Amino acid sequence: MFVTTSNPSHLKPVRVAIVGTGAIARGSHLPALTALAAGQPLEIVAAVDVDAAAVEEFCGDAGIAHPYTDLDRMLAEQRPDLVTLATPPRFHRDQTVAALRAGAWVWCEKPPCPSLEDFDAIEAAEGSGGDGPYAAIVFQHRFGSGARHVRELLAGQAMGRPLVAHCQTTWYRDEAYYSVPWRGSWSSEGGGPTMGHGIHQMDLLLDLLGPWAEIRAMAGRLVHDVETEDVSTALVRFGNGAVATVVNSVLSPDEVSRIRIDCERATVELTHLYGHRNADWRITPAPGVTSEDVDLWRDFGPDVPSSHEAQLKGLLEDLRAGRRPRSSGADGRKSLELVAAVYKAAFTGGTVRAGEIGPGDPYYGALHGNAPGWAPQPVEQSVQQRGEQPVEQSVEAPA
């Protein structure tokens, strides 16, 4: 139980369970929970993994009392207040719905789930009384002091109207990366770099600029022999009139994550890779802007890096207050809708408008939309094309 003498004595401990004990749980979820427990009553009561040896080792290392291999049993026996999900995307819908129905709030790793249909099923399982339980997505890049400061500047149009933007997630993944069986598959990974890599920067772009209106896009498989794309590009028009380019790639040896927004009075730019601090933001004024204005714009305050901890801190405050957290409901759905729209625009060659992908649209139930050349092929058909004998395939969960 991670409770210290500095914890406020009037608060009831939040009981947390971690589902999935691989790298993201060890490297991000557990450290965030441990750090926050130093300032509030919080107890990690259980962990769940299909691999009994892995969950036993995880619990032993972290001092967690109850290892499980069955999620439903854990929910019934431990009754956690919060479940953090660090499992592959194909499991997120069923695991989130199970936790919500057991009365637990959920904090789910990105990608949130493989389709908008899945997301809407999750939202339908949330509490209807106004105080939860709710399911939030891990979109940690929009949290921290830098993102908060720039969001406030843009919302108040301190730098004038936003006009032109660029959102870039250009990373590099080699053949060894895709040799892991579950990678590059629609069913297990949910999508290519648009879904699994670039969604973080696209979410931050939406958080800064507000709702998008329409999109055109292209996608390709230029290097890797996978079901999904390995690169996508898009042109996006926002509701406020701003236009943006979006690039998502796993073909780029010089890796960078970048957002640039040109406003009437200044350019604001963020350059980083997997997380940002105040120093990663740069504001360049237009000619004629006063030094007093520039000093105010560049005053980011105390440095709070973007992180799982920064997002989780706010979510725990919302849980205690019984209010909907950021990156849940419509606020979380908007980023998945943009991802779905990139795929639809790329695979159909048409313009996609916000709100048009709903029940009855092929891209509502699957991000590939059953598009020719992109939809998954039956195992027997793809094997016959290669002249091989059919064999049983299995997909392993990520470490």
Side-chain angles (χ1 to χ4, degrees):
M1 181 172 179
F2 298 113
V3 178
T4 72
T5 56
S6 64
N7 286 328
S9 59
H10 65 283
L11 296 179
K12 178 183 176 183
V14 174
R15 294 167 55 82
V16 183
I18 300 174
V19 180
T21 61
I24 197 68
R26 286 183 175 271
S28 298
H29 288 225
L30 182 61
L33 288 164
T34 304
L36 291 169
Q40 61 182 287
L42 186 153
E43 179 182 6
I44 304 179
V45 297
V48 183
D49 199 290
V50 294
D51 186 327
V55 73
E56 290 279 358
E57 180 183 1
F58 181 83
C59 288
D61 293 343
I64 300 171
H66 302 290
Y68 286 87
T69 57
D70 186 287
L71 174 62
D72 291 333
R73 181 181 173 187
M74 183 280 292
L75 292 169
E77 293 182 356
Q78 298 301 324
R79 308 299 298 180
D81 302 303
L82 173 66
V83 170
T84 75
L85 290 183
T87 53
R90 70 182 186 276
F91 300 124
H92 288 173
R93 171 177 173 169
D94 290 344
Q95 291 175 338
T96 300
V97 169
L100 290 169
R101 288 177 176 170
W105 287 44
V106 178
W107 192 44
C108 178
E109 268 298 332
K110 66 84 189 167
C113 48
S115 70
L116 288 169
E117 182 178 28
D118 289 332
F119 192 96
D120 290 346
I122 289 171
E123 191 172 355
E126 293 180 330
S128 58
D131 58 354
Y134 297 116
I137 308 304
V138 177
F139 283 139
Q140 76 273 20
H141 286 209
R142 63 158 99 166
F143 294 84
S145 53
R148 181 181 64 250
H149 178 65
V150 171
R151 183 169 57 249
E152 291 171 354
L153 290 176
L154 292 170
Q157 294 197 1
M159 299 178 293
R161 292 183 299 122
L163 304 173
V164 183
H166 176 66
C167 178
Q168 175 182 354
T169 306
T170 44
W171 296 355
Y172 186 78
R173 298 295 183 264
D174 59 14
E175 290 300 324
Y177 176 86
Y178 282 106
S179 67
V180 178
W182 59 270
R183 288 185 174 139
S185 163
W186 291 108
S187 63
S188 56
E189 200 169 18
T194 313
M195 176 67 154
H197 303 85
I199 192 172
H200 271 308
Q201 297 313 301
M202 290 189 289
D203 176 74
L204 178 55
L205 184 71
L206 291 175
D207 198 52
L208 296 175
L209 286 183
W212 62 279
E214 62 179 5
I215 184 170
R216 300 177 183 179
M218 293 187 294
R221 295 187 201 98
L222 303 186
V223 173
H224 299 292
D225 183 17
V226 292
E227 286 184 347
T228 64
E229 86 288 2
D230 56 16
V231 63
S232 71
T233 64
L235 300 175
V236 185
R237 188 185 307 277
F238 283 80
N240 59 15
V243 293
T245 60
V246 178
V247 179
N248 303 295
S249 165
V250 288
L251 309 178
S252 309
D254 183 10
E255 296 186 296
V256 68
S257 304
R258 179 180 292 120
I259 284 180
R260 172 181 169 136
I261 301 173
D262 297 321
C263 301
E264 291 175 305
R265 304 181 66 209
T267 292
V268 57
E269 187 171 12
L270 168 66
T271 304
H272 67 114
L273 189 55
Y274 299 134
H276 52 82
R277 311 180 69 94
N278 288 351
D280 297 317
W281 295 83
R282 184 178 66 179
I283 296 179
T284 304
V289 174
T290 66
S291 59
E292 291 80 8
D293 281 344
V294 177
D295 289 343
L296 286 174
W297 299 344
R298 290 175 175 170
D299 183 6
F300 283 74
D303 192 7
V304 179
S306 67
S307 66
H308 282 69
E309 181 182 343
Q311 180 177 358
L312 185 56
K313 180 181 180 181
L315 187 145
L316 288 169
E317 293 172 355
D318 293 331
L319 187 156
R320 292 186 184 281
R323 61 179 175 243
R324 178 177 286 282
R326 293 180 64 198
S327 78
S328 71
D331 187 41
R333 189 185 191 276
K334 64 186 182 184
S335 297
L336 183 59
E337 183 191 15
L338 181 60
V339 168
V342 171
Y343 284 123
K344 181 176 181 179
F347 297 165
T348 64
T351 298
V352 177
R353 291 171 175 80
E356 78 172 50
I357 303 178
D361 190 301
Y363 291 87
Y364 179 70
L367 293 181
H368 54 72
N370 290 315
W374 290 102
Q377 294 182 339
V379 173
E380 294 80 4
Q381 180 179 346
S382 60
V383 166
Q384 288 172 2
Q385 288 178 347
R386 295 194 303 268
E388 302 172 1
Q389 293 298 314
V391 295
E392 289 192 12
Q393 294 186 340
S394 62
V395 177
E396 300 177 359

